[in-house]
Amino acid sequence: MEIGFDSFGSAVIDENTGDVLHAEKSMQDLLDRIVHADKMGIDVFGMGEHHRPDYFDSSPVTILAAAAARTEQIKLTSAVTVLSAADPVRVFQSFATLDLISRGRTELVVGRGSFIDAFPLFGYDLSTYDELFTEKLGLLLQIRDNKRVTWSGKFRPALNDQPVYPRPARDPIPIWLGVGGTPASFARAGTLGMPLMVAVIGGETHRFRPLVDLYRNAWREAGHDPTGMKVGLHSLGYVAETTEQAVEDFYPGHTRTMNKIGKERGWRPQSRPHFDAQRGPQGALLVGGPEEVAAKILRHSEALGGIDRLTFQMDSAELTHEQRLRAIELIGKEVAPRVKAG
């Protein structure tokens, strides 16, 4: 199993003015964490995409390119590219260029995103949310598989035997489908023969098993090579020397963040009992000491019938740079070896 971490490039916000503070330092700290992950043997780093004041990741490929120039082994991927509001030609060109810079270490995770901020920003109608994504995903996969493309659709001018360059160092470049909890999305990934990245940020991870089985069944029914079928799990998590320290570090900021997002979406406020349940044996949160977290990852993998990649997301907890560096070190040196040993 590959072990990695994802980031949204969380910003420091002045609560009184709403202004972003220490932007340059926050960006440099993020790059330093990716370099540290590379040195600690972390397998993969993913950069999200948002268009909000509290995140720096509106141009993830730029951040990944800076990281590519400073790292040697770690895979670099989006997490996720909001394809519905992007041009698939430019997405492919950008990530193919990144793959050349990184010498073949680039992947994409494409999806529809968990926020809608990209739609008004780029002039798209939210009512065509799914139709946009379906069409653009089809075009992106066609570009991946063909150096010259003939294509027509509803939302973009047609292409007539048009070459798309550059080509990536690793051709075809791996493209994963990022999904939440919609059955149609799981089935689509299987039918298209795409690796699956499942975002589980709440609830009980084992409850996603029927959806993962739906993906695997769709894959087999479509007749794809079974060796290409992969399942990844994106989870909120954090590792400290002890479980008590991890909870103390993670809980306050995580609760503030989740309640802020919850207020926007009409969720009930998160309480400490709810947090403790999520951190418990069946809950989605991976928060604790190295041994506890490694054991929980293995339980999640067993519950889902096996997973091929697990990525931590620590941005929700307002952790310090030093806390995140230490967590990356513990994940690389203590969690990952336990998980890979089974």
Side-chain angles (χ1 to χ4, degrees):
M1 186 192 306
E2 293 181 317
I3 300 294
F5 78 102
D6 300 325
S7 178
F8 297 160
S10 53
V12 180
I13 304 295
D14 187 310
E15 295 183 2
N16 296 318
T17 66
D19 294 335
V20 176
L21 303 175
H22 318 302
E24 292 181 9
K25 184 179 187 305
S26 293
M27 183 62 74
Q28 292 306 313
D29 285 349
L30 172 60
L31 292 172
D32 288 346
R33 290 194 292 272
I34 304 171
V35 171
H36 188 57
D38 187 44
K39 292 177 179 177
M40 292 299 108
I42 299 296
D43 296 302
V44 59
F45 167 78
M47 194 75 229
E49 179 189 342
H50 299 81
H51 303 272
R52 299 164 55 90
D54 39 352
Y55 301 122
F56 284 117
D57 61 344
S58 64
S59 181
V61 73
T62 306
I63 299 171
L64 293 172
R70 295 179 57 188
T71 56
E72 297 293 334
Q73 301 296 328
I74 194 168
K75 294 179 181 178
L76 301 168
T77 181
S78 55
V80 304
T81 295
V82 184
L83 191 60
S84 302
D87 180 354
V89 174
R90 292 300 285 158
V91 168
F92 182 86
Q93 290 175 324
S94 296
F95 280 89
T97 303
L98 174 62
D99 199 48
L100 296 175
I101 295 170
S102 69
R103 302 180 300 281
R105 291 184 284 130
T106 298
E107 300 185 357
L108 290 84
V109 179
V110 299
R112 291 178 290 187
S114 58
F115 292 91
I116 63 171
D117 38 83
F119 286 83
L121 182 62
F122 296 109
Y124 290 100
D125 186 347
L126 190 59
S127 67
T128 60
Y129 182 85
D130 189 64
E131 194 177 3
L132 269 168
F133 182 75
T134 300
E135 178 177 298
K136 292 187 175 189
L137 178 60
L139 175 55
L140 179 64
L141 296 179
Q142 191 167 337
I143 295 169
R144 178 198 64 182
D145 296 336
N146 301 277
K147 293 180 181 179
R148 305 187 73 91
V149 179
T150 297
W151 174 92
S152 63
K154 178 179 177 181
F155 299 102
R156 189 199 188 281
L159 299 172
N160 183 20
D161 193 32
Q162 182 70 44
V164 180
Y165 295 110
R167 304 307 296 183
R170 185 166 43 154
D171 200 358
I173 192 169
I175 302 178
W176 297 58
L177 187 62
V179 301
T182 306
S185 296
F186 285 79
R188 172 159 45 200
T191 299
L192 293 174
M194 299 178 67
L196 180 77
M197 178 57 71
V198 187
V200 181
I201 62 173
E204 297 178 331
T205 301
H206 70 273
R207 295 185 181 274
F208 282 76
R209 176 63 182 268
L211 296 171
V212 174
D213 286 345
L214 182 62
Y215 162 72
R216 293 184 172 119
N217 290 336
W219 183 290
R220 286 189 285 266
E221 289 174 4
H224 298 300
D225 182 350
T227 62
M229 183 165 51
K230 295 182 179 180
V231 176
L233 183 62
H234 162 96
S235 296
L236 303 182
Y238 171 67
V239 179
E241 280 79 359
T242 67
T243 295
E244 294 75 17
Q245 187 64 54
V247 171
E248 181 180 334
D249 293 346
F250 191 87
Y251 171 71
H254 172 72
T255 299
R256 282 192 295 270
T257 298
M258 297 306 290
N259 286 344
K260 178 183 177 182
I261 296 172
K263 189 174 182 180
E264 296 176 10
R265 301 187 178 186
W267 298 344
R268 295 174 60 183
Q270 179 175 271
S271 64
R272 180 56 187 264
H274 178 265
F275 172 82
D276 289 338
Q278 289 294 290
R279 201 188 61 76
Q282 304 301 324
L285 289 179
L286 295 171
V287 178
E291 186 173 358
E292 177 187 9
V293 169
K296 190 169 183 180
I297 291 171
L298 291 171
R299 286 200 303 273
H300 283 345
S301 180
E302 182 179 3
L304 295 178
I307 60 175
D308 302 280
R309 176 178 292 180
L310 184 287
T311 57
F312 288 82
Q313 208 281 86
M314 295 184 277
D315 285 2
S316 69
E318 302 175 0
L319 298 163
T320 68
H321 177 53
E322 291 71 24
Q323 286 171 327
R324 296 186 218 199
L325 286 174
R326 180 57 176 154
I328 290 167
E329 184 172 344
L330 290 169
I331 291 167
K333 290 186 175 181
E334 299 192 33
V335 175
R338 285 183 168 95
V339 170
K340 294 180 182 187

